[in-house]
Amino acid sequence: MYKLTFGTPEKHVPSKYCKNFNYVPKSVNFPTENISFRVNNRGCVLSFPLDNDAQIYGFGLQLKQFNHRGRKLKLSVNADPVAPTGDSHAPVPFFVTNKSWGMYVDTARYAEFYCGNQMNSAFGGGQKRQVVKEEGNRLAGISTDELYAIRQESDQTMTIQIPGCQGVDVYIIEGDTITDIVSQYNMLSGGGCDVPEWGLGVLYRCYSRYTDKQVIGVVEEMQSKDIPLHIIGLEPGWQSSTYSCSYLWSDLYPNPAEFMKTMLSKGIHVNLWEHAYTHPTAPVHDALAPYSADTLVWGGLVPDFTLDEARKIFSDHQKTLVEMGVDGFKLDECDNSDYTGSWSFPLSAQFPSGMDGEQYHSLFGLLYTQVMMEALGDTPTLSEVRNMGALAASYPFVLYSDLYEHQDFIRGVATAPFSGLLWSPELRDAASREELLRRLQVVVFSVQCLINAWYCPDLPWREFGCEDEVRELLKLRVRLMPKLQEAFHIYKATGKPPIRALVMDYTDDKEVANIDNEYLFCEDLLVAPIAAGQGNTRDVYLPQGDWEDFFTGESVQPGWHTVTTEGIPVYRKRG
């Protein structure tokens, strides 16, 4: 790993706010002399040649695209992106290639990445490369899809525009496989996160308008029917004000201390929904006001969590919830809303620390999780957050989304690990028995087993009469918990993600370059989900190795297979 400094970097960058940042310089083989740098009226620009067969992965949680070669992306923070343009509620300016190197760009700006554009070498002193003339002309397409298809031309360049700044630090990371590179990137932020085994169990988020008695009823029903349950999540209804937040218990929970005592006596952990926009009725509102942005969201303050004063005020109040027995939080709406109702603060917002809204959007999720970790103290957790960015691997928070396309959710399982992120393809509702079970199958084989019934007045599986199948799948999850926790121990020690896209471990296998619907689970399993609505048949690829069916133990040869099953195809790599 090697750091390069171009121009004058900004003050507010992710590495400044990474508590365990650990850069150890080491020489690299990457031809750093080929990187050109210039400042223009939009900020600064980096460019360098790409190998013709280089494939590009990463850039955070990308639900709409897997391999980004030939695409242009703007890493803006947005809930519910509609196209593969780089928008994400967890964008990360880090990418990896199949050519033994990756790059982290240490910026909180909405950087633009052109992953393979052609440059005029006569302009701006760029790298001159040989121009290869083609014989004849290409035939014009007869549809817009043909006309504007992604083309991997020869002699292409990666161009990175970083707006609003005069310089940037860049880290080149090298390794034999993508997993090697990503692991080093994760170690740059202090390694993976510690999680308690119960955090890897079943989390059921209750209907938002349930009373305390109805929540207790859900717990008692699931326990009486031998349906595994480890954590109960309470949605906005637990608070007296929610948009913005009061952080005070509502009338639905007239005796919160007694409610918490009941949950703990049943062996159930409690996870509370919230966001950081602070309502005037919140006990911390007036104290936070001097340490908040110049704009409000839903009438609430936006605390500047880069300031020690704001962090302490906010976390001290959250500690009162932890002292009651709460050991998990769902940190919502700390992203942005260009596509979902135009809430949140503008990019022009100003914060007391000197940050603007663009920078704070990029850092908001990371800073918020740090504050909540301060509130939790020594209490272990595996919680949820809606926004994460660069250098986030050491925080035990899992991403989720308001989107719900199942194939996108499966793709997220494969793309999040490229960038040191954890992702939950949560189950909410379903239009059929088949959809519910297909979604739950993926949930069971993910980092967090999350059923989010926040808008479902009844248990989601009851109307489809598939309680037995749900029980069986959740019991399978319980059997997987020790394996997954061991994978998290490895993640903590080495940075190796517990779940990985196939191309991460099998980087030299050209067959896996674009497989976004299979993934590696822990150290020895390959999972190939069947998406809801896709029937019972799919093609599965197994890389080189000695494989067996996870459920039957039957040997399976590497290569392509057509599989038909109502279950989920899973394979164990022997040895």
Side-chain angles (χ1 to χ4, degrees):
M1 183 186 303
Y2 191 72
K3 173 184 173 182
L4 301 168
T5 297
F6 297 94
T8 304
E10 289 191 290
K11 173 183 176 182
H12 298 293
V13 294
S15 63
K16 177 181 178 179
Y17 300 101
C18 179
K19 291 188 173 182
N20 299 313
F21 191 72
N22 181 32
Y23 167 59
V24 179
K26 186 177 180 181
S27 62
V28 294
N29 294 317
F30 184 91
T32 57
E33 68 276 6
N34 286 350
I35 301 177
S36 68
F37 171 79
R38 60 189 171 93
V39 176
N40 62 16
N41 59 6
R42 296 189 60 234
C44 64
V45 182
L46 300 170
S47 62
F48 48 89
L50 284 176
D51 289 333
N52 290 337
D53 58 346
Q55 308 304 313
I56 300 171
Y57 310 92
F59 300 114
L61 176 68
Q62 295 294 333
L63 298 178
K64 299 294 184 180
Q65 187 68 29
F66 182 73
N67 185 344
H68 303 286
R69 177 62 190 261
R71 293 192 172 272
K72 55 183 178 181
L73 299 91
K74 182 178 181 180
L75 300 189
S76 55
V77 179
N78 261 314
D80 306 341
V82 297
T85 54
D87 294 272
S88 171
H89 49 91
V92 177
F94 170 68
F95 65 90
V96 289
T97 75
N98 63 335
K99 308 303 289 185
S100 301
W101 64 273
M103 178 181 290
Y104 167 56
V105 182
D106 193 24
T107 181
R109 295 294 179 185
Y110 286 3
E112 301 167 7
F113 291 78
Y114 290 79
C115 302
N117 58 308
Q118 293 184 306
M119 303 290 288
N120 178 358
S121 61
F123 179 79
Q127 294 293 317
K128 293 188 177 182
R129 305 186 70 181
Q130 181 180 2
V131 177
V132 180
K133 293 185 177 180
E134 294 186 358
E135 295 296 331
N137 295 318
R138 287 185 175 138
L139 293 175
I142 56 174
S143 72
T144 54
D145 287 344
E146 291 177 316
L147 286 170
Y148 303 125
I150 297 295
R151 298 184 176 92
Q152 292 193 17
E153 310 279 2
S154 61
D155 297 332
Q156 288 196 332
T157 298
M158 168 75 84
T159 300
I160 306 170
Q161 170 82 62
I162 306 165
C165 64
Q166 304 296 300
V168 68
D169 288 327
V170 169
Y171 296 78
I172 307 294
I173 307 173
E174 293 183 337
D176 293 334
T177 66
I178 290 175
T179 295
D180 294 336
I181 299 164
V182 169
S183 298
Q184 292 179 68
Y185 165 76
N186 290 337
M187 295 307 292
L188 183 63
S189 63
C193 53
D194 284 320
V195 301
E197 186 168 307
W198 58 261
L200 302 171
V202 179
L203 166 54
Y204 185 90
R205 305 202 70 86
C206 286
Y207 181 53
S208 186
R209 296 176 183 171
Y210 272 176
T211 66
D212 54 357
K213 290 182 174 56
Q214 288 173 305
V215 173
I216 293 169
V218 168
V219 173
E220 290 177 342
E221 178 175 351
M222 292 182 69
Q223 290 184 335
S224 68
K225 294 186 174 181
D226 195 27
I227 299 174
L229 177 65
H230 301 81
I231 311 163
I232 278 288
L234 304 185
E235 285 291 303
W238 79 269
Q239 285 190 50
S240 59
S241 177
T242 52
Y243 286 84
S244 48
C245 282
S246 67
Y247 317 107
L248 298 172
W249 293 86
S250 73
D251 292 341
L252 297 175
Y253 297 83
N255 191 337
E258 188 62 30
F259 169 77
M260 288 300 305
K261 183 178 178 181
T262 300
M263 290 292 100
L264 296 175
S265 70
K266 295 179 180 295
I268 299 298
H269 299 263
V270 176
N271 177 298
L272 299 182
W273 172 97
E274 65 170 54
H275 57 63
Y277 309 121
T278 306
H279 191 266
T281 62
V284 296
H285 178 275
D286 292 349
L288 274 176
Y291 309 110
S292 299
D294 63 351
T295 58
L296 304 177
V297 177
W298 291 311
L301 300 172
V302 187
D304 188 340
F305 286 143
T306 67
L307 303 177
D308 291 341
E309 297 89 345
R311 296 166 74 99
K312 185 175 189 321
I313 293 166
F314 197 91
S315 65
D316 279 354
H317 180 71
Q318 303 300 313
K319 286 178 184 176
T320 64
L321 299 170
V322 176
E323 289 166 357
M324 294 178 68
V326 175
D327 52 14
F329 293 89
K330 176 181 177 180
L331 310 182
D332 210 357
E333 275 107 17
C334 48
D335 43 17
N336 197 13
S337 62
D338 291 352
Y339 307 131
T340 51
S342 298
W343 53 267
S344 200
F345 50 88
L347 302 186
S348 59
Q350 287 297 308
F351 288 78
S353 62
M355 266 197 223
D356 60 31
E358 178 183 17
Q359 294 167 304
Y360 201 74
H361 275 304
S362 295
L363 294 169
F364 195 1
L366 183 79
L367 294 168
Y368 194 2
T369 60
Q370 289 178 352
V371 171
M372 299 309 292
M373 291 297 288
E374 291 169 10
L376 285 159
D378 295 331
T379 302
T381 191
L382 183 61
S383 293
E384 300 81 53
V385 67
R386 244 277 279 281
N387 165 239
M388 273 297 218
L391 306 173
S394 62
Y395 299 99
F397 283 78
V398 181
L399 290 160
Y400 60 94
S401 177
D402 279 351
L403 291 169
Y404 205 49
E405 171 61 42
H406 196 209
Q407 292 186 75
D408 287 351
F409 271 29
I410 295 170
R411 183 178 298 113
V413 178
T415 64
F418 287 123
S419 305
L421 302 174
L422 303 174
W423 162 251
S424 172
E426 63 181 37
L427 165 66
R428 294 203 284 271
D429 63 2
S432 66
R433 175 185 180 277
E434 181 266 347
E435 181 185 357
L436 186 143
L437 294 177
R438 287 299 188 202
R439 287 184 177 274
L440 188 57
Q441 288 167 359
V442 183
V443 165
V444 165
F445 284 94
S446 68
V447 292
Q448 187 178 59
C449 187
L450 173 54
I451 302 170
N452 185 9
W454 75 272
Y455 57 77
C456 303
D458 201 359
L459 298 172
W461 52 85
R462 200 192 303 274
E463 69 173 297
F464 302 119
C466 55
E467 182 180 291
D468 290 343
E469 292 87 344
V470 168
R471 181 186 300 104
E472 181 180 356
L473 281 167
L474 296 183
K475 285 191 171 185
L476 170 59
R477 174 64 180 204
V478 172
R479 296 197 298 273
L480 292 170
M481 287 167 61
K483 174 187 288 289
L484 190 53
Q485 188 175 45
E486 177 59 29
F488 268 93
H489 291 327
I490 296 171
Y491 186 37
K492 172 69 175 176
T494 70
K496 183 179 182 180
I499 291 179
R500 303 173 302 285
L502 268 60
V503 72
M504 293 180 69
D505 282 22
Y506 299 94
T507 305
D508 293 334
D509 187 341
K510 294 182 179 180
E511 291 290 324
V512 304
N514 294 296
I515 293 181
D516 62 357
N517 61 356
E518 299 181 27
Y519 53 89
L520 302 168
F521 183 88
C522 301
E523 290 303 290
D524 61 345
L525 299 185
L526 184 152
V527 183
I530 299 177
Q534 300 298 305
N536 291 335
T537 300
R538 65 156 292 168
D539 291 333
V540 174
Y541 180 75
L542 299 181
Q544 285 299 310
D546 185 8
W547 298 93
E548 67 180 18
D549 186 288
F550 173 68
F551 298 103
T552 68
E554 179 183 358
S555 293
V556 185
Q557 294 299 309
W560 284 101
H561 302 269
T562 299
V563 180
T564 300
T565 178
E566 290 185 356
I568 179 170
V570 181
Y571 304 88
R572 177 187 285 115
K573 190 172 185 180
R574 293 168 171 162

